[in-house]
Amino acid sequence: MTVTRAPLLPPTRAEYCVIACAEAWRDNGEVLASPMGLIPSFGARLAKRTFSPDLLLTDGEAMLVGLDGTTEGWLPYRQHLTMVTGGRRHVMMGASQIDRFGNQNISCIGDWERPARQLLGVRGAPVNTLNNPTSYWVPRHSRRVFVEKVDMVCGVGYDHAAGARYHRLPRVVSDLGVFDFATPDHAMRLASLHPGVTVEQVREATGFDLDVPDEVPPTREPTPEELRLIREVIDPGGTRAREVAS
Amino acid sequence: MSDKTMTAGEVVSRLASGMTLGIGGWGSRRKPMALVRALLRSEITDLTVVSYGGPDVGMLAAAGRIRKLVTPFVTLDSVPLEPHYRAARESGALELMEVDEAMFMWGLHAAANRLPFLPVRAGIGSDVMRVNPGLRTVTSPYEDGETFVAMPALRLDAALVHVNRADRLGNGQYLGPDPYFDDLFCEAADTAYVSCERIVDTAELTKEAAPQTLLVKRYAVTGVVEAPNGAHFTSCASDYGRDEAFQKQYASTPWPEFAERFLAGDEHAYQSAVRTWHEEPR
């Protein structure tokens, strides 16, 4: 007797985002994946379940945990900071603002002396960006986030890093596409478009002059096994659709 | 050996306006809230507060007690942005030294080690340098020649921390998963006050817990305060989690109203007002 499965529904935008985030940790080896936000967390778990099994994960508190939650190590804040400065970590942070050279702001909007909106504060963005690879996740791509100039440089972009020895911003993932800095002057480049998104849409939602190559590939398709993992194992409750609607 | 137990009121009587106070914990986790509440009942003001900020910062800012804040962030964790801190910043009510999390840690390490500064690979290239024009850099004297931020020591007049258990001598024990930086706060301070859920005999400390849970050493402690539920509404794992419902109430209630209902009396009155609030139908 053969068991036939119902054909899978096509991937949603949120699922392309999970795939795009997961790809950030490909070939990273035995480093800590530090995802901030729901979809990057699913991406890190997907990467570990498939092509990057050596990744380390945290429980968001003080433990290193396996995919099933088994504790395999102790990682309180001060040791976490050592992992950052030792470079054995790849963080995917959020960004309230990000500019074309990858400068990121989570501190405040407006003049720092008397901000129009006080946000979190610089947190660990300065130390992250000078020590371990730092990627970014933006769930709603807009001109308010992708700005010409950030109000406060928290995460250091390529133009401010002055070739710092361990500075590297592998990618920015948004709900519209994937971006990198693989240009001669490290200006942000459209690396792939999520299926269903146009270059015009991205340009329209970006507040600076984005580098767009002649041929922009689509964000890669999830494999059937990856889709199954996302839908049945990693996020069976479908919470990813709350962060990115289809 | 000296018995260092005292009341929260006695701790506050040893503090003064204009002091630099380090407050332990992290965000809305294991904050010495009973000591903060005692501080709020005093007239002490004009403080420089050094904290990985949570509601300690929010409350002291709302009450107008902070002249200057040294911090990498202020958050309630499950409520990402601290409303009273935001209001203070947006109205220009306090001076801010905004530094990175690692810079902050090395500032405490420098103070604890009696060093004027420690080199940190953080801050350079960021606007932390712009908004803190007093920060200096230092160049490695070795072949690499790299430039670092010379993070100045964050020396404290007093540190306030909260732990799960302590003995009367000032040995403090944490039973949660993360020590945060509480031992560093104590070592970076001229005087340190440790509140705890329960004061126990010294022998009791390691009866069931491993010796590495003994985070704070008595040589670095001036006073010990027994303050059950003293981190409320922040978490104090493993004794209790964060009081999320009450934190939400704190974050959504205008400060004068909150202060009048919950902070007008002593710590006992606070704890009983919280119980009453929880019993109300909602």
Side-chain angles (χ1 to χ4, degrees):
Chain A
M1 196 178 94
T2 52
V3 179
T4 53
R5 295 177 66 98
L8 289 170
L9 291 169
T12 63
R13 181 75 62 81
E15 287 160 352
Y16 283 112
C17 290
V18 172
I19 290 293
C21 289
E23 284 291 332
W25 287 288
R26 188 182 282 278
D27 301 326
N28 277 201
E30 207 159 17
V31 307
L32 179 71
S34 277
M36 300 184 190
L38 212 54
I39 284 182
S41 300
F42 297 150
R45 299 177 78 80
L46 182 68
K48 183 169 172 60
R49 277 192 186 277
T50 53
F51 48 79
S52 291
D54 292 337
L55 287 175
L56 298 144
L57 299 177
T58 73
D59 63 352
E61 295 282 332
M63 298 298 161
L64 290 168
V65 293
L67 285 164
D68 62 357
T70 304
T71 298
E72 64 165 324
W74 184 50
L75 192 70
Y77 283 114
R78 61 182 81 182
Q79 291 193 5
H80 203 133
L81 282 170
T82 305
M83 236 162 161
V84 172
T85 49
R88 298 304 295 268
R89 175 177 181 261
H90 180 170
V91 60
M92 183 173 274
M93 296 188 77
S96 302
Q97 294 178 326
I98 191 164
D99 71 18
R100 67 193 301 249
F101 292 108
N103 297 291
Q104 168 253 28
N105 175 22
I106 45 171
S107 167
C108 65
I109 301 296
D111 181 18
W112 181 87
E113 291 288 341
R114 178 82 181 262
R117 275 196 297 139
Q118 174 63 40
L119 306 174
L120 272 180
V122 292
R123 294 219 66 151
V127 72
N128 284 346
T129 42
L130 290 196
N131 290 279
N132 63 192
T134 304
S135 292
Y136 293 105
W137 160 244
V138 178
R140 270 174 299 280
H141 194 127
S142 77
R143 284 175 175 262
R144 279 175 50 181
V145 179
F146 289 76
V147 294
E148 186 65 48
K149 189 176 182 300
V150 300
D151 293 340
M152 168 90 179
V153 176
C154 302
V156 179
Y158 280 97
D159 58 338
H160 281 81
R165 60 200 299 189
Y166 304 118
H167 178 266
R168 190 162 74 84
L169 309 179
R171 62 171 53 196
V172 178
V173 180
S174 81
D175 58 334
L176 299 184
V178 179
F179 307 83
D180 63 21
F181 300 91
T183 51
D185 64 347
H186 292 296
M188 197 187 291
R189 180 188 78 133
L190 177 56
S192 78
L193 278 171
H194 300 332
V197 182
T198 65
V199 170
E200 259 331 290
Q201 236 179 304
V202 174
R203 279 214 172 98
E204 192 53 45
T206 304
F208 54 82
D209 193 15
L210 186 68
D211 191 285
V212 179
D214 297 337
E215 293 285 319
V216 184
T219 301
R220 83 160 170 87
E221 294 292 323
T223 66
E225 174 60 5
E226 285 173 333
L227 261 190
R228 188 191 69 79
L229 284 170
I230 294 170
R231 292 174 180 179
E232 295 176 16
V233 179
I234 295 170
D235 182 29
T239 56
R240 60 195 176 280
R242 269 186 247 150
E243 201 161 72
V244 171
S246 39
Chain B
M1 278 186 286
S2 52
D3 183 327
K4 293 176 184 163
T5 55
M6 55 178 77
T7 64
E10 283 170 312
V11 170
V12 170
S13 73
R14 293 163 179 245
L15 306 178
S17 294
M19 275 189 169
T20 297
L21 283 192
I23 304 180
W26 173 285
S28 194
R29 304 167 197 209
R30 219 175 66 224
K31 284 289 177 179
M33 297 306 288
L35 298 181
V36 170
R37 287 187 284 267
L39 199 50
L40 287 167
R41 286 194 294 275
S42 77
E43 300 292 310
I44 292 170
T45 189
D46 196 32
L47 294 169
T48 293
V49 171
V50 178
S51 173
Y52 285 111
D56 52 332
V57 168
M59 287 189 179
L60 291 169
R65 307 302 182 89
I66 304 179
R67 181 181 60 78
K68 182 180 174 182
L69 176 67
V70 181
T71 195
F73 61 78
V74 182
T75 179
L76 298 173
D77 296 333
S78 52
V79 178
L81 304 178
E82 218 297 342
H84 303 303
Y85 167 65
R86 292 189 84 183
R89 273 283 284 155
E90 290 167 14
S91 67
L94 50 78
E95 188 187 332
L96 178 64
M97 178 183 184
E98 184 171 5
V99 293
D100 166 90
E101 285 169 15
M103 294 171 72
F104 187 103
M105 177 183 76
W106 288 111
L108 291 177
H109 269 294
N113 288 281
R114 299 190 297 181
L115 291 168
F117 71 90
L118 277 168
V120 196
R121 188 185 287 114
I124 291 182
S126 81
D127 276 341
V128 163
M129 304 308 284
R130 171 173 67 87
V131 303
N132 295 291
L135 286 177
R136 297 286 174 264
T137 59
V138 62
T139 305
S140 165
Y142 300 105
E143 293 75 38
D144 61 281
E146 190 174 343
T147 299
F148 301 96
V149 168
M151 180 61 200
L154 295 173
R155 191 69 203 171
L156 313 169
D157 291 312
L160 309 178
V161 305
H162 185 77
V163 295
N164 301 85
R165 306 282 178 271
D167 66 11
R168 296 174 170 275
L169 308 176
N171 295 302
Q173 177 178 48
Y174 79 111
L175 298 172
D178 203 313
Y180 308 120
F181 300 86
D182 287 0
D183 49 333
L184 263 180
F185 274 98
C186 294
E187 289 169 344
D190 294 340
T191 58
Y193 301 94
V194 179
S195 61
C196 63
E197 290 297 313
R198 202 143 54 80
I199 290 178
V200 298
D201 289 338
T202 305
E204 198 71 24
L205 291 170
T206 47
K207 220 169 188 174
E208 280 166 16
Q212 58 268 36
T213 57
L214 297 172
L215 181 65
V216 177
K217 297 8 165 188
R218 63 181 167 82
Y219 75 87
V221 173
T222 312
V224 182
V225 178
E226 188 167 57
N229 212 30
H232 184 267
F233 47 84
T234 71
S235 62
C236 186
S238 55
D239 284 315
Y240 47 88
R242 184 178 305 129
D243 186 343
E244 296 287 0
F246 190 80
Q247 173 165 286
K248 233 178 247 166
Q249 178 73 6
Y250 160 77
S252 57
T253 307
W255 173 252
E257 199 182 305
F258 180 88
E260 191 189 323
R261 171 153 189 198
F262 295 103
L263 302 171
D266 60 8
E267 178 68 10
H268 180 76
Y270 170 81
Q271 297 288 352
S272 123
V274 170
R275 274 193 300 276
T276 306
W277 180 83
H278 272 293
E279 284 158 10
E280 285 172 4
R282 247 176 299 279

